[in-house]
Amino acid sequence: MATTITRRGLLASSLPLLAAPRAFAATPERPNIVYMYADDLGYGDVSCYGATRVKTPNIDRAAAAGIRFTNAHSSSATCTPSRYSLLTGEYAWRKPGTGVLPGDARLIIDPGRYTLPAMLREAGYRTGIVGKWHLGLGKGNLDWNGEIAPGPLEVGFDESFIYPATGDRVPSVFVEGHRVVGLDPADPIVVNYQHNIGNGPTGAANPELLRMHPSHGHDNSIVNGISRIGYMSGGRKARWVDEDMADTLTGKALGFIERNHARPFFLYFATHDIHVPRVPNKRFVGATGMGPRGDAIVELDWSVGQVLDTLERLKLTRNTIFVFSSDNGPVVDDGYRDRSVELLGDHKPAGPLRGGKYSAYDGGTRVPFLVRWPGRVKPGTSDAPVSQIDLLASLAALTGRKLPADAAPDSWDVLPALLGQSKKGRPHIVEHASALSLIEGDWKAIEAHAGPKRNQTGNEIGNDPAPQLFNLREDIAEQHNVAAEHPEKVKELLALLEKIRKDGRDRP
Ligand code: NG6
Ligand code: CA
């Protein structure tokens, strides 16, 4: 490095030696980061967001010691696109092929791409994923009995213990690193999403073998008395037991924290709860009187408690940012007759919001979002508009990483909002269901979209052949479409949405 004679120059040239990790931000920090991602948990499903028939003391404990966001969003109203956006910082709707994936899909994130875990690894973190993946594995025509790659380890994670897609999709096995866990080579796994393999029983042909019946779809291969989406044969010893999934995944999450407690770590813990099939452990059966859906929330809350207790025991609480959220809004009947509709009573999974999973109304993407960092974050609530997609840019800012110009095109640095220092957040929220929506300030426009008003779950999708407009401040339940009264507002918001679409990036 060239040194200049001026005092200032000499000082500047010696600085990097003294403070190499501070190269990018004024005061970068490296707290541990735990991102706990529930599946299909709604805005009204936990007690700190107003639920009364289900109690979630551990989630509430994180809320009480942190910031409870009231206007935080998943990027999409379903799983794969939300998770794709979370990890890449790119709106999934920009990239075809990022919708809900089958269990035999190829990896949809290019290996080597700048991702949330890759960024944190560069910042000196040990990175780990436990739980739901649902972003595809391999390059197509994967042999489940060999090396399963590329996958999480090729897009930024140092350690990986996942299940490939969803609890209701085959293959119903865990994958650790590059291998199926507990696979007996004499009983190889074959997966097919077109037709049955061999003569294994299916939900369609053998309903008498089922302990939980489908309400729609879900009538292919039977695993543990529950028929799934897709067909699999073999791998009998490797198949998971639904009742034990939360224990297995939570145990792996705690193991990761324990192994890495002495260094900065990033744990992405994506639970199976409360996705279908809802089969909580018998410890939680009957906990709520709401059937498996309510009991799965209590099981999820137990997992949160285990993580918080472990951080406490290892004296990591003060030096760990704990974030809790959900990948999309709630759904009651998502394809199995598990009595959740009958036992729902007055419980409101989406709280005051309209719609739920799959929906362009706010119930689709406005989800619980908690940030706890004792000592650094003052407890309270925040209505700052933030999106999960912003974690990449925000955590880069925290840890002093400079995003390459073409990385994470839609991720805003909202770190001050996440730390409770500002109510500003991102300038607008883009919501993604069948239709796209744009929220700016009090106003929300949903673009025109053909298609059914509801899908088979009964959830409203938000489709309408004409654009819709709501004033969320006055009408959080989106009951009054005021597009006809404010055509200029509709035009303005949809023009901004169009610009974001055309520009190929949202962030500055
Ligand atoms: C749907 C499934 C639903 C769920 C969803 C994905 C049917 C009829 N419905 O296609 O049960 O698996 O996909 O959920 O098959 S998500 O949370 O992973 O996005
Ligand atoms: Ca989901």
Side-chain angles (χ1 to χ4, degrees), residues 38-39 41 45 54 56 59 246 271-281 284-288 290-303 338:
D39 201 348
L41 184 76
D45 270 330
V54 51
T56 52
I59 296 168
T271 68
H272 161 66
D273 286 320
I274 62 168
H275 199 278
V276 297
R278 303 169 186 127
V279 193
N281 190 273
F284 305 102
V285 171
T288 60
M290 282 165 51
R293 187 175 187 279
D295 298 348
I297 297 174
V298 176
E299 182 172 80
L300 168 71
D301 186 67
W302 169 84
S303 294
D338 62 7

Side-chain angles (χ1 to χ4, degrees), residues 305-379:
Q306 293 293 301
V307 171
L308 298 181
D309 289 350
T310 300
L311 294 174
E312 193 63 40
R313 178 165 55 76
L314 297 172
K315 304 201 168 15
L316 298 174
T317 298
R318 285 184 71 80
N319 190 32
T320 302
I321 302 184
F322 176 82
V323 182
F324 174 82
S325 198
S326 173
D327 69 334
N328 52 250
V331 57
V332 182
D333 174 1
D334 205 16
Y336 290 99
R337 282 170 12 215
D338 62 7
R339 306 227 302 141
S340 39
V341 175
E342 296 85 332
L343 298 173
L344 192 63
D346 58 2
H347 177 72
K348 301 249 175 307
L353 309 174
R354 183 171 178 182
K357 184 175 181 177
Y358 312 108
S359 178
Y361 298 121
D362 258 39
T365 60
R366 198 193 285 225
V367 286
F369 189 87
L370 308 173
V371 177
R372 185 193 78 154
W373 188 8
R376 283 298 307 279
V377 160
K378 209 166 127 245

